[in-house]
Amino acid sequence: MTNWTISRILEEYPYSMSYFEQNKLDITGFENQTLEEYLDHFSEVELEDQAIDKEKVLSDLPVYIEQMQAFLGIEKKNQVLSLTIFAGHDKSGVTEGFEELTIHTSQIISIVGPTGSGKSRLLADIEWAAQNDTPTGRSIRINGDVPDNKWRFSSNNRLVAQLSQNMNFVMDLTVQDFLNMHAVSRLVEDPQSVINEIIKAANNLAGEKFDLTTPVTSLSGGQSRALMIADTAILSSSPIVLIDEIENAGIDRKKALELLVTSDKIVLMATHDPLLALMADKRIVIKNGGISKVIHTSDEEKELLKELEKMDTLIQHARQELRKGSNLTSDLLG
């Protein structure tokens, strides 16, 4: 929700207008901005004069919406607005280097650390909503509360969808058959429209296009990953997505992340790529089986990201030219 515009918040939750009115926030003319962008337009003097606490306004809105949903009796099945990780310890029993970390929907969190450092253990703790009952001693809260048992023990309410490095199909199905099977199992009212949406999104990510008649066993690694990312973003009920080393996927990485966060997912991304790590809102550093520290992406890093994106665009262009059989020249550098 942090990346939603105010107009989208009002469209999804019309009663949120009362929240803005109660906080004496005149949002007229700012509907196409996010709430954070709107709050940033106030000067320090205005914030003090109007007693506006930006962090509190941002953090209280999801709570207000949740309470209103409950009051109005609106079904919120499987809705996850936030996930909080409470610190445990590393393999040596040393307390982790943070107290708690709260992640909201539409946020990207990167996970960095050496191979075997404990990234998979972190995922497992989240997936099973650990309650100080795993080797790390971590605890998980969902929407600020101890998670319902459905997240821990029900196969129909999986908290995490995993996208591993190797996405190879063994089923003798076409893309149409595969997506239809998933759509029908999710009781989608209009399966074909959803299927068409998924194939369009997948082809927007993949280096090489494919269609609904393509056998899934003939998809390349990049095409398979693109299909599963689109399927997860559009059709999966899992509110949290873990992507493992998307830099090796052969897809448009930035578009893939944008697709997932606009689908109101919490994205946890294990990566060794500095560009991807800096695209995240925060990054978790793992050492010796524990979370060593949590780093907020700084303004300086965001500026550096712009330069890295320019370099990445150049490399991607060179890769495309090589695929075409072209000779690379200094003109490539502009």
Side-chain angles (χ1 to χ4, degrees):
M1 190 181 296
T2 55
N3 291 336
W4 286 17
T5 62
I6 292 173
S7 62
R8 183 179 176 188
I9 293 173
L10 292 173
E11 181 180 350
E12 294 285 336
Y13 310 107
Y15 46 79
S16 60
M17 177 58 77
S18 297
Y19 177 80
F20 298 127
E21 292 172 348
Q22 290 169 17
N23 285 277
K24 299 180 180 179
L25 299 173
D26 183 3
I27 57 173
T28 305
F30 295 91
E31 289 86 354
N32 291 326
Q33 295 186 6
T34 65
L35 180 54
E36 185 172 4
E37 289 170 341
Y38 164 71
L39 293 171
D40 284 343
H41 98 277
F42 289 104
S43 67
E44 291 298 325
V45 173
E46 289 172 325
L47 290 172
E48 185 174 348
D49 287 346
Q50 298 180 45
I52 298 174
D53 184 333
K54 293 199 296 184
E55 293 299 321
K56 191 172 190 303
V57 170
L58 289 169
S59 62
D60 283 358
L61 176 58
V63 177
Y64 175 85
I65 290 174
E66 183 179 358
Q67 291 174 343
M68 284 299 295
Q69 294 276 91
F71 175 74
L72 296 171
I74 299 173
E75 181 66 28
K76 303 186 301 122
K77 184 179 180 181
N78 296 346
Q79 186 176 14
V80 171
L81 299 175
S82 68
L83 168 83
T84 302
I85 306 170
F86 288 90
H89 52 77
D90 66 12
K91 293 177 182 177
S92 302
V94 177
T95 301
E96 293 182 296
F98 77 112
E99 291 185 5
E100 64 180 80
L101 170 62
T102 297
I103 311 168
H104 298 281
T105 54
S106 298
Q107 280 193 319
I108 302 173
I109 305 296
S110 61
I111 306 172
V112 299
T115 300
S117 59
K119 296 189 288 291
S120 296
R121 180 66 263 173
L122 172 60
L123 172 65
D125 285 350
I126 295 172
E127 183 172 10
W128 299 110
Q131 295 301 302
N132 195 27
D133 53 2
T134 69
T136 64
R138 296 185 187 117
S139 293
I140 303 296
R141 297 288 184 273
I142 297 176
N143 299 334
D145 298 321
V146 174
D148 189 284
N149 282 339
K150 70 181 180 183
W151 296 118
R152 307 202 72 195
F153 307 117
S154 173
S155 60
N156 294 324
N157 291 290
R158 290 185 63 82
L159 189 62
V160 175
Q162 297 189 54
L163 298 173
S164 62
Q165 291 186 58
N166 299 311
M167 305 294 295
N168 296 318
F169 292 97
V170 296
M171 297 176 288
D172 186 19
L173 298 171
T174 64
V175 172
Q176 168 74 37
D177 294 334
F178 170 75
L179 293 177
N180 187 68
M181 181 173 62
H182 190 191
V184 170
S185 71
R186 298 296 309 157
L187 302 178
V188 173
E189 291 184 4
D190 185 1
Q192 194 57 50
S193 65
V194 174
I195 290 169
N196 292 339
E197 184 182 358
I198 292 172
I199 191 68
K200 180 180 179 180
N203 276 317
N204 191 40
L205 305 178
E208 297 180 40
K209 307 296 183 185
F210 59 99
D211 58 37
L212 293 173
T213 64
T214 305
V216 292
T217 51
S218 69
L219 295 175
S220 68
Q223 290 172 327
S224 297
R225 180 68 74 96
L227 178 62
M228 293 309 299
I229 287 175
D231 179 82
T232 298
I234 296 168
L235 197 52
S236 173
S237 63
S238 299
I240 300 169
V241 180
L242 178 91
I243 306 178
D244 186 22
E245 297 188 18
I246 194 174
E247 58 265 36
N248 299 326
I251 61 171
D252 190 315
R253 300 164 292 174
K254 187 173 182 179
K255 287 181 180 178
L257 293 177
E258 289 173 348
L259 176 62
L260 288 164
V261 296
T262 54
S263 302
D264 303 331
K265 306 283 188 184
I266 292 173
V267 180
L268 294 164
M269 173 178 57
T271 184
H272 300 292
D273 186 331
L275 186 149
L276 291 174
L278 296 186
M279 284 176 65
D281 302 282
K282 303 170 187 174
R283 61 186 180 274
I284 295 172
V285 182
I286 304 236
K287 293 181 181 178
N288 192 35
I291 296 176
S292 173
K293 54 185 173 180
V294 178
I295 302 175
H296 294 250
T297 304
S298 67
D299 291 337
E300 183 178 1
E301 288 177 325
K302 290 176 183 177
E303 289 301 314
L304 175 60
L305 175 60
K306 295 178 183 177
E307 297 303 314
L308 291 174
E309 287 179 327
K310 292 177 183 177
M311 295 167 60
D312 185 64
T313 299
L314 180 64
I315 292 171
Q316 294 298 330
H317 180 56
R319 182 176 289 119
Q320 290 297 327
E321 290 301 308
L322 287 173
R323 286 172 175 168
K324 294 177 184 177
S326 304
N327 291 325
L328 300 186
T329 67
S330 58
D331 293 339
L332 185 69
L333 299 175

